[in-house]
Amino acid sequence: MGFLSDVVADLKRDLEMNPIDDSALMGRIGSLPPARDFTGALKSGNPAVVAEVKRASPSAGEIAQADAGKQAAVYEAAGAAAVSVLTEPKHFDGAMADLRAVRMATKLPVLRKDFLVHPSQLIQTRAEGADAALLIGACLSESEIAALLITASDLGLAALAEATNGEDLDKILAAGAEIVGVNARDLETLEVDEGNALALLRAVPDDKIAVFESGISTREQVERAVEAGANAVLVGEALMRAADPGAKIKELLGEQT
């Protein structure tokens, strides 16, 4: 067992003991405007930057306690294509309140990053105002991924399906994912292997939208990701730690040195 296995086991127990009220959430979804175009946003740059609100992580500890809405507004002004929000509270110090604050503060599409293993969590994700959701291939079977992709589509959510190895990628592609994330961080060991991730990125079919995730802090890394086939990069810790996150985004985009 590693980090991901432990987190998912705890989450499934919690969902069984405290099920999400789907009916109440569906009522809220009915009053929401259409989801913003996350898929289109990922095609908007070379690459597009998905900028993340990430307060802490199990690998880095506390990162920053910035105001989520203000951070997202800075990201948008600097040229980010979308905003990712960590909502997991125990290990990442996240909260749904951060997602709501980001939704109110920016016109960009908002991705919810969490450990999503049940359709009810996707209903919750949309009800809270997210436009896209992360699906982690390492903790889901092919049939589970396929079912969650259908649920997301029915709700109007885009889905970023994430792989860390070839087995994950095979599952995600067989399940029908259109947006494929390649995470350089192994979520069981929490170790980062950029070389492995770049190799996996090259295996993503050209007709998919590819997103490189984790460990990016320099323009050179962005260029390597693009060369390997990335349409977008997802950056969290480097932006949260930056004294000027807007300037850091511009640096990653190659707009300043």
Side-chain angles (χ1 to χ4, degrees), residues 35-38 41 50-51 53 72 81-87 98-113 125-126 128-134 157-158:
R36 298 165 184 171
D37 185 6
F38 182 73
V50 181
V53 175
V83 180
S84 170
V85 183
L86 261 298
T87 59
D98 287 340
L99 192 154
R100 292 191 292 269
V102 169
R103 175 74 183 191
M104 293 293 291
T106 176
K107 295 180 180 179
L108 297 178
V110 181
L111 167 72
R112 180 189 179 191
K113 275 187 71 176
T125 298
R126 183 71 190 105
E128 294 289 356
D131 308 292
L134 176 72
L157 281 170

Side-chain angles (χ1 to χ4, degrees), residues 24 32 70 124 132 161 167-168 218:
L32 292 175
K70 291 180 180 178
Q124 180 190 55
E167 181 181 353
D168 293 346
T218 69

Side-chain angles (χ1 to χ4, degrees), residues 211-222:
V211 183
F212 188 96
E213 306 171 51
S214 292
I216 286 186
S217 61
T218 69
R219 174 62 186 172
E220 289 75 17
Q221 289 176 298
V222 173

Side-chain angles (χ1 to χ4, degrees), residues 30 107 114 136 145 148 251:
K107 295 180 180 179
D114 209 321
I136 301 173
I145 297 167
L148 290 172
E251 175 192 331

Side-chain angles (χ1 to χ4, degrees), residues 11-23:
L11 173 62
K12 288 181 176 179
R13 283 192 293 268
D14 186 59
L15 286 170
E16 186 173 339
M17 295 175 62
N18 303 287
I20 295 170
D21 186 347
D22 292 354
S23 58

Side-chain angles (χ1 to χ4, degrees), residues 20 47 88 104 139 151 160 170 184-185 201 217 231-233 236 252:
I20 295 170
E88 198 280 331
M104 293 293 291
C139 69
T151 299
L160 170 60
D170 289 344
R185 187 181 304 279
L201 193 59
S217 61
N231 303 98
V233 294
L252 295 174

Side-chain angles (χ1 to χ4, degrees), residues 48-203:
V49 170
V50 181
E52 189 161 85
V53 175
K54 181 179 184 180
R55 300 181 181 280
S57 76
S59 58
E62 183 173 329
I63 297 170
Q65 290 300 319
D67 179 281
K70 291 180 180 178
Q71 189 83 358
V74 170
Y75 290 164
E76 180 175 21
V83 180
S84 170
V85 183
L86 261 298
T87 59
E88 198 280 331
K90 294 180 182 178
H91 305 281
F92 293 87
D93 199 19
M96 284 295 189
D98 287 340
L99 192 154
R100 292 191 292 269
V102 169
R103 175 74 183 191
M104 293 293 291
T106 176
K107 295 180 180 179
L108 297 178
V110 181
L111 167 72
R112 180 189 179 191
K113 275 187 71 176
D114 209 321
F115 300 95
L116 306 179
V117 297
H118 193 283
S120 293
Q121 292 174 287
L122 291 178
I123 294 171
Q124 180 190 55
T125 298
R126 183 71 190 105
E128 294 289 356
D131 308 292
L134 176 72
L135 302 178
I136 301 173
C139 69
L140 298 165
S141 67
E142 180 186 324
S143 61
E144 287 171 330
I145 297 167
L148 290 172
L149 287 171
I150 291 170
T151 299
S153 179
D154 289 345
L155 292 167
L157 281 170
L160 170 60
E162 174 185 290
T164 55
N165 55 45
E167 181 181 353
D168 293 346
L169 182 59
D170 289 344
K171 284 191 295 184
I172 287 166
L173 295 175
E178 294 300 321
I179 306 174
V180 177
V182 172
N183 196 342
R185 187 181 304 279
D186 184 314
L187 292 177
E188 294 288 12
T189 66
L190 301 180
E191 295 179 356
V192 172
D193 187 336
E194 181 182 330
N196 178 70
L198 291 172
L200 189 61
L201 193 59
R202 293 186 181 95

